[in-house]
Amino acid sequence: MTVLDATGVSVTTSGHVLLDSVDIRASSGECVAVRGANGSGKTTLLRVLCGLLAPSTGRVLLDGVPLSDRRAEHRAELSALVGSPAAYPDMTVIEHLELICASWKVPVDEAERRITSILDELELGLLRDRFPGELSSGQLQLFSLAQVLVRPFSVLVIDEPEQRLDAHRLALVADAITGVRESGAAIILATHSDDLVSTACTREISLDDAR
Amino acid sequence: MSAASPSFARVRRTLLARGAAREPRDVALTVYSVGLGALVAMVPIIRTLVLTLAAPGPAAVLTAPYVRALITTGCLLVLLIVTALGGVRGAVVPAPPYVQFVVGGAYPRSITLRRSMLSVHAVSVTVSVVSALIMCAAVSTAGSRITAVTVTSSVAMAVAFGAVLATAWLAGQVFRIVRTSSAVAVLLLAVAGTVTVTGGYTDAVAKIAASTASALAWPASASAVTATIVVCVVSAFVAIVASSAMLDRVRRTELMRQAVVWRAAGTLALTADMRGTVDSIRQPARHRPAHVRWATRSVALRILVRDVGGVLRHPVRTLVGAASALAAGALVPAMLGASANGAALAGAVSALLAYAAAGAWSDGLRSHADNIGAPTLFGFRAGTGILMHVVTPLLAMILLLLAGVALVTVPAAGGSPAAPPPEDASLWTAALALGVLACALRAHGAVKGPMPLRLLAPISTPAGDASILVITAWALDGPVLAIIAGLVLVMAVPGGVLPVLGATVVMLAILAPWAWLRLRDRRSR
């Protein structure tokens, strides 16, 4: 059972407290929503949970081992969307997904199945041969999600997946996240969307309460 | 049109009065600046160029029988490249408000854009004529007999070429014949490369060139000069008239797109944001070949295929990069045998061209580096990704630089014993080193990241704030390091292969840890 476990995590920069002593834990098959007002530290927490930012206090464990972006096994287990990933401007949507799968040594047939499934799930099939520069902002958000979901992982960290999405596409994302959760992954997502929380998440924590 | 011209002249005067009106003292300052710039900068550069070209190696090329074919090939290549460039930055690109309110107005574009086009013709013809005169002066300085007939016909040909070049640039802007002109240019390069490598350049091509239009520039007799001048003047006239007619076919949307892009690029360049400048003028990938299944499981091979695919999807950039790399390679032999100043100039220009050319093949490298510091998408480390993305530019650069050296030395060996022999291993090693260093500098630049805020702190000096110097040095570190690398190679080349290899290893030993520190800084940001 994969567990991402953060205890007493805080981040302080130049005397300013960005995140104040947060405890959060996600197990396999669980989706935890992180909620809070703008500036409450949601993205900072997610950056800590991805290993991109070292906490000032506290610790983050992945399967009981201190999380480190340097560990190959941790990079393999944890997939994250925090901010928009920079895409290759000269590569199409499907070529991105293929390259991501290949980089994680996913067999060709399995990669094809995963890619088709995700493109269908997020209704990106018609955009498969487009370059990133030819996508709208909402389509880009779905494309970013597809990149994160297509690779193998057991822990998923996502920052505000509802950004720039209409209600229909938000429902698609909620279904995709629910599918990932039901497949046994542990998920932590920061969101402002009540719909997403009620549809896809199993529990929530509020950083407003923590403060 | 004749009725519209006077009223447009009034419109233009009004625009000037409201906006960029120039007073006599402004004009005087411009004339003074241009004159001083020409005296202080251009004259020494032209003199150095003449002396460099008059050195035994380059002079052997200029006086060899195949020089007609070489110049004809070069001119055709420049024409094709400029035509392709028209789709990126055309001959006429006024300011966006001018396009919006004047070009988009009631007046024909052959009137509203005429002055801009005439300026382009003037600059193009001037550069072409100066280039022709430099070559004539170099041949004369080298001791070869050069007659008034040769100079006159060369200048006439240069005038015609300059006018045709400007018109071709406009044609590229109007018709956007990027792919065709790129394909023809690549074909031309391939043919030139093939005949060079197979040794047919000096014989077959020279004979063909001698019987074609290139022979006009080297008339066999004084009586043929008149015909040459007439043909050239008529060609220039037709080119200028054709460009005037073509101006009416310039699309306003395309003109506005280019105007906005280049205004933004100018603004970013003024702020020393070189990366932003390049990104702002970067053309989106257009060419979209059918999706190809990659059966291999090798990630390195997939990255290689990805990068090659990216290169093919940007035909213009690839073409310009290839031409720059070939030119950089062609300059390498001048590092040996030329005067000290000439060798230094050749080394610096060659290294700069190589650095610029490597940029055309490094899109994958830059895109990959942009993701450093973000959650990883790929199953390999950032440093590994950088190394894998360096392979394509490295292979391309080495191949093209060596081809550039071959283009000059292989035919020269048959034409003149004064030219550097093709078996001079230090030249080939220097070309190889140039390719490796250009790619290393690209990788070093890709992981640079945003400018540290501490560089913006003012530096008080008696002459004012000197922080702009630091900012400029930070922004232009790639080109500056490339020039230094070129000068180091110039010092090493006369010593043979080992000093060149040693200098390359030392420079790589400096660049690699520096790049690693930058990478580490980006990851922890």
Side-chain angles (χ1 to χ4, degrees):
Chain A
M1 175 182 278
T2 303
V3 177
L4 184 62
D5 187 2
T7 312
V9 170
S10 68
V11 175
T12 306
T13 303
S14 305
H16 298 285
V17 179
L18 303 182
L19 185 67
D20 192 9
S21 191
V22 174
D23 298 334
I24 187 169
R25 175 190 171 94
S27 304
S28 294
E30 200 178 20
C31 178
V32 182
V34 179
R35 314 206 61 183
N38 291 135
S40 58
K42 297 188 297 297
T43 302
T44 304
L45 173 62
L46 262 51
R47 287 179 63 80
V48 171
L49 295 179
C50 297
L52 296 175
L53 185 64
S56 306
T57 64
R59 62 178 187 170
V60 182
L61 302 178
L62 181 57
D63 290 337
V65 179
L67 177 68
S68 170
D69 185 41
R70 304 288 170 91
R71 287 178 194 273
E73 60 271 27
H74 282 184
R75 288 203 307 275
E77 272 200 61
L78 198 149
S79 183
L81 178 63
V82 182
S84 299
Y88 291 100
D90 50 16
M91 216 161 74
T92 62
V93 166
I94 193 163
E95 288 167 354
H96 274 89
L97 301 182
E98 284 183 345
L99 186 60
I100 290 169
C101 283
S103 74
W104 293 103
K105 309 283 184 199
V106 179
V108 174
D109 292 343
E110 167 68 6
E112 191 176 350
R113 191 191 61 73
R114 294 177 76 106
I115 291 168
T116 307
S117 164
I118 282 169
L119 288 178
D120 289 345
E121 211 166 6
L122 298 177
E123 293 186 356
L124 285 171
L126 292 174
L127 308 175
R128 51 183 276 154
D129 291 325
R130 284 202 191 174
F131 294 116
E134 296 170 337
L135 301 177
S136 71
S137 60
Q139 290 167 342
L140 267 177
Q141 174 71 354
L142 290 175
F143 170 49
S144 300
L145 275 166
Q147 291 184 90
V148 170
L149 295 177
V150 80
R151 49 157 291 191
F153 61 89
S154 54
V155 177
L156 180 63
V157 175
I158 319 180
D159 190 15
E160 300 187 9
E162 73 273 15
Q163 279 181 22
R164 304 185 293 276
L165 297 182
D166 58 33
H168 171 65
R169 282 170 183 78
L170 181 57
L172 295 177
V173 170
D175 288 345
I177 291 173
T178 304
V180 170
R181 174 172 58 80
E182 288 174 351
S183 71
I187 306 170
I188 295 179
L189 64 88
T191 181
H192 292 289
S193 167
D194 293 333
D195 290 342
L196 195 58
V197 173
S198 61
T199 318
C201 300
T202 51
R203 62 188 174 88
E204 62 180 282
I205 68 161
S206 171
L207 294 190
D208 296 333
D209 295 342
R211 285 202 153 186
Chain B
M1 190 181 289
S2 58
S5 297
S7 26
F8 179 69
R10 277 202 296 276
V11 171
R12 195 170 177 284
R13 275 198 300 275
T14 308
L15 283 171
L16 288 175
R18 296 275 173 89
R22 287 186 182 180
E23 294 180 12
R25 60 182 175 182
D26 295 329
V27 177
L29 180 64
T30 305
V31 170
Y32 169 75
S33 305
V34 170
L36 197 65
L39 278 174
V40 172
M42 291 312 294
V43 170
I45 287 175
I46 289 174
R47 181 177 175 274
T48 308
L49 274 174
V50 169
L51 293 177
T52 303
L53 290 173
V61 176
L62 284 179
T63 52
Y66 62 85
V67 72
R68 299 179 189 187
L70 198 64
I71 291 177
T72 307
T73 308
C75 288
L76 274 174
L77 200 59
V78 170
L79 267 177
L80 289 165
I81 290 173
V82 164
T83 308
L85 274 177
V88 181
R89 204 282 184 200
V92 283
V93 184
Y98 189 85
V99 177
Q100 179 74 25
F101 300 112
V102 181
V103 177
Y107 297 99
R109 278 160 204 168
S110 54
I111 292 176
T112 54
L113 298 173
R114 184 173 53 196
R115 288 177 77 97
S116 302
M117 193 61 219
L118 285 176
S119 303
V120 172
H121 274 295
V123 171
S124 178
V125 167
T126 305
V127 171
S128 182
V129 168
V130 169
S131 304
L133 288 175
I134 286 174
M135 281 199 276
C136 289
V139 172
S140 174
T141 308
S144 298
R145 183 174 162 272
I146 190 157
T147 61
V149 170
T150 311
V151 175
T152 310
S153 58
S154 295
V155 168
M157 197 69 178
V159 169
F161 178 70
V164 170
L165 189 68
T167 304
W169 193 9
L170 181 65
Q173 184 176 17
V174 173
F175 302 111
R176 288 188 65 86
I177 38 183
V178 176
R179 284 191 206 174
T180 309
S181 46
S182 303
V184 175
V186 169
L187 189 68
L188 183 67
L189 273 176
V191 171
T194 306
V195 294
T196 301
V197 170
T198 56
Y201 208 98
T202 52
D203 304 326
V205 181
K207 282 176 189 165
I208 293 168
S211 59
T212 58
S214 72
L216 282 168
W218 294 270
S221 64
S223 60
V225 174
T226 311
T228 302
I229 291 173
V230 169
V231 168
C232 290
V233 168
V234 169
S235 302
F237 180 74
V238 168
I240 291 170
V241 170
S243 69
S244 180
M246 253 189 287
L247 283 174
D248 283 327
R249 301 191 62 176
V250 176
R251 281 169 297 174
R252 181 171 161 271
T253 48
E254 176 65 10
L255 201 59
M256 180 56 97
R257 185 188 69 77
Q258 292 196 1
V260 169
V261 164
W262 286 94
R263 168 63 67 91
T267 306
L268 287 164
L270 276 178
T271 59
D273 182 357
M274 292 303 120
R275 177 74 190 272
T277 306
V278 173
D279 284 346
S280 70
I281 58 177
R282 186 181 301 280
Q283 294 289 295
R286 294 183 189 281
H287 188 47
R288 196 192 314 265
H291 181 60
V292 180
R293 290 286 305 277
W294 298 337
T296 176
R297 282 177 62 95
S298 162
V299 181
L301 199 56
R302 278 176 182 252
I303 292 284
L304 184 73
V305 172
R306 192 230 77 79
D307 286 346
V308 171
V311 164
L312 295 177
R313 284 171 175 174
H314 291 96
V316 177
R317 191 158 4 122
T318 303
L319 181 64
V320 174
S324 302
L326 278 175
L331 280 172
V332 168
M335 293 182 185
L336 200 65
S339 64
N341 285 344
L345 185 66
V349 174
S350 175
L352 261 182
L353 282 172
Y355 176 77
W361 312 83
S362 305
D363 261 4
L365 184 63
R366 278 190 293 271
S367 300
H368 176 75
D370 284 345
N371 258 328
I372 296 170
T376 182
L377 278 177
F378 299 102
F380 44 79
R381 300 185 66 116
T384 311
I386 294 287
L387 289 177
M388 287 193 288
H389 278 297
V390 165
V391 174
T392 299
L394 189 62
L395 292 177
M397 286 301 294
I398 288 175
L399 197 68
L400 288 164
L401 284 164
L402 293 179
V405 177
L407 207 61
V408 176
T409 56
V410 173
S416 165
E423 62 271 18
D424 193 331
S426 65
L427 290 181
W428 303 100
T429 315
L432 199 73
L434 210 54
V436 172
L437 288 169
C439 293
L441 281 170
R442 282 292 168 184
H444 175 258
V447 294
K448 186 156 80 165
M451 183 169 64
L453 288 177
R454 64 177 181 276
L455 297 188
L456 295 173
I459 301 171
S460 299
T461 71
D465 181 12
S467 61
I468 185 64
L469 297 176
V470 181
I471 293 169
T472 307
W474 186 89
L476 297 176
D477 64 346
V480 170
L481 288 171
I483 291 173
I484 293 171
L487 295 177
V488 170
L489 285 179
V490 165
M491 288 188 280
V493 163
V497 173
L498 280 180
V500 173
L501 287 177
T504 308
V505 169
V506 168
M507 285 188 277
L508 286 177
I510 294 169
L511 281 177
W514 191 352
W516 183 81
L517 286 174
R518 285 179 163 185
L519 186 65
R520 195 184 63 172
D521 191 42
R522 286 280 299 277
R523 285 168 57 92
S524 61
R525 203 176 281 273

